[in-house]
Amino acid sequence: MKKILVTGGAGFIGSHLCTRLLDDGNDVISLDNYFTGSKDNIKHLIGNPHFEAVRHDIVMPYLAEVDEIYNLACPASPIHYQFDPIKTIETSVLGVTNMLKLADYGKSKILHASTSEVYGDPMMHPQREEYWGNVNPIGIRSCYDEGKRCAETLMMDYHRQHGTRIKIIRIFNTYGPNMSVNDGRVVSNFIIQALKGEDITIYGDGSQTRSFQYVDDLIDAIVRTIQTGDDFTGPVNLGNPREFTIRQLAEEIIRLTGSKSKLCFMPLPGDDPRQRKPDISLAKRVLDWEPTVQLEEGLKKTIEYFRSIDF
Ligand code: NAD
Ligand code: UDP
């Protein structure tokens, strides 16, 4: 049995990860300040003697002896990370430094959740790990994009300078049950609007693209990544390479919910990337992994989840 720390354990992805790690027979501590996460996401784990939920902000140091650290703590949706941008960048820089110090102290492995946002508005399509990105350092998304880029730098420098055992994953747009109802991300927004019969809010003309990964596929990839040898640090792209326009996504959600909602077009937010699609050759080769849940199946499960909760 391994002792594992999951920061952001009460969040969307973190709650699925805690569940999977407990199912695999580990002892799990969730560390979360509940800024965007919720106790509802982990209520099924409370009472499990192998699970502890600790309220803590990773911007402050934390001490525990653990075998593995999965650092997921960070607001992830544009509305949430722009709510307090200084705190967002502190979480990526000071928070990640604290977790790296903890990994050094316990000689534990540390996996860090980076993002496709490190590619910014990409000039290379699809995006490969070698691409350095096209990021605005002073825009409204910079607190997140540049914070995550700096976190990757810290991870690599701790690895080179101290020999810290690191893994960096770059997650592309992920969706599924436990997404927060008010985080403004496109999948949750469109499903909730469709279920309420409200207009579907497309920002811009809806021709921008994203590639949507169902959360179960991501969790499988995360577990495979931590099991790789110490010589594999990443970064590795984890996403579903099937690319859709935002308009196609809206139409698919209307079809699957049977909603009478209409499309409405609103201004595109600043620095919104035009296109995004992962090249996952590295993950296929090193992790022997590729996503198996296609958009229709994943959306059906997510719609079922949103129908089951009171929003
Ligand atoms: P989320 O907002 O649901 O989860 C983040 C969790 O971290 C929340 O529970 C929140 O309360 C917690 N948190 C935030 N700041 C904290 C702090 N300073 N100290 C302690 N806890 C803190 O988001 P998510 O979608 O589950 O994302 C998890 C991670 O994956 C994030 O690091 C995010 O950047 C990354 N990621 C997610 C996606 C995606 O599509 N969901 C894509 C790329 C990267
Ligand atoms: N988007 C949209 N309507 C919404 C929410 C988002 O058209 O109600 C668009 C957004 O402008 C972006 C895409 O959908 O082009 C994905 O947005 P999200 O916030 O989910 O993720 P990110 O931009 O970080 O990839």
Side-chain angles (χ1 to χ4, degrees), residues 236-278:
V236 57
N237 288 339
L238 300 180
N240 188 320
R242 280 208 58 198
E243 186 182 10
F244 294 86
T245 66
I246 294 306
R247 189 182 177 125
Q248 282 173 323
L249 176 75
E251 285 163 353
E252 184 68 351
I253 288 175
I254 289 177
R255 183 179 75 79
L256 293 173
T257 50
S259 171
K260 300 215 179 334
S261 292
K262 302 268 173 294
L263 305 184
C264 81
F265 294 87
M266 297 173 72
L268 192 66
D271 292 343
D272 199 283
R274 282 289 316 151
Q275 52 182 4
R276 193 181 283 154
K277 168 183 162 129

Side-chain angles (χ1 to χ4, degrees), residues 8-79:
F12 157 49
I13 297 171
S15 57
H16 289 274
L17 182 62
C18 289
T19 306
R20 166 68 188 267
L21 295 171
L22 285 162
D23 286 348
D24 288 350
N26 299 294
D27 227 84
V28 176
I29 305 172
S30 157
L31 212 60
D32 205 298
N33 67 356
Y34 301 105
F35 171 47
T36 55
S38 134
K39 287 184 188 162
D40 270 352
N41 287 341
I42 48 170
K43 63 175 186 285
H44 60 293
L45 306 177
I46 303 295
N48 181 330
H50 298 294
F51 181 70
E52 274 170 78
V54 178
R55 181 187 289 269
H56 181 83
D57 193 309
I58 64 160
V59 167
M60 306 304 290
Y62 180 78
L63 201 60
E65 279 184 21
V66 292
D67 303 301
E68 293 173 357
I69 301 166
Y70 295 74
N71 185 52
L72 272 60
C74 186
S77 84
I79 289 182

Side-chain angles (χ1 to χ4, degrees), residues 78 141 173 185-186 189-190 201 203 208 210 246 272 276:
R141 292 175 90 105
N173 296 65
R185 280 189 268 198
V186 69
N189 261 14
F190 285 3
T201 53
Y203 303 157
Q208 71 272 35
R210 294 292 186 273
I246 294 306
D272 199 283
R276 193 181 283 154

Side-chain angles (χ1 to χ4, degrees), residues 135-192:
V135 176
N136 177 358
I138 55 168
I140 55 170
R141 292 175 90 105
S142 314
C143 59
Y144 184 72
D145 300 8
E146 295 289 20
K148 289 284 188 180
R149 285 166 69 91
C150 184
E152 288 198 11
T153 309
L154 281 163
M155 292 284 289
M156 288 306 299
D157 283 336
Y158 264 77
H159 173 68
R160 284 186 287 251
Q161 210 170 317
H162 294 184
T164 313
R165 300 156 74 200
I166 65 154
K167 314 276 176 203
I168 301 169
I169 56 170
R170 290 185 180 152
I171 304 173
F172 284 64
N173 296 65
T174 303
Y175 69 100
N178 295 4
M179 289 184 88
S180 145
V181 291
N182 62 356
D183 72 4
R185 280 189 268 198
V186 69
V187 174
S188 43
N189 261 14
F190 285 3
I191 291 178
I192 291 168

Side-chain angles (χ1 to χ4, degrees), residues 175 187 191 212-214 217 240 242 244 248-249 251-253 255-257 292-304:
Y175 69 100
V187 174
I191 291 178
F212 298 100
Q213 160 174 246
Y214 189 65
D217 281 327
N240 188 320
R242 280 208 58 198
F244 294 86
Q248 282 173 323
L249 176 75
E251 285 163 353
E252 184 68 351
I253 288 175
R255 183 179 75 79
L256 293 173
T257 50
T292 58
V293 183
Q294 292 314 323
L295 189 66
E296 177 170 346
E297 184 190 347
L299 284 180
K300 280 184 180 162
K301 290 183 181 170
T302 313
I303 291 166
E304 203 178 300

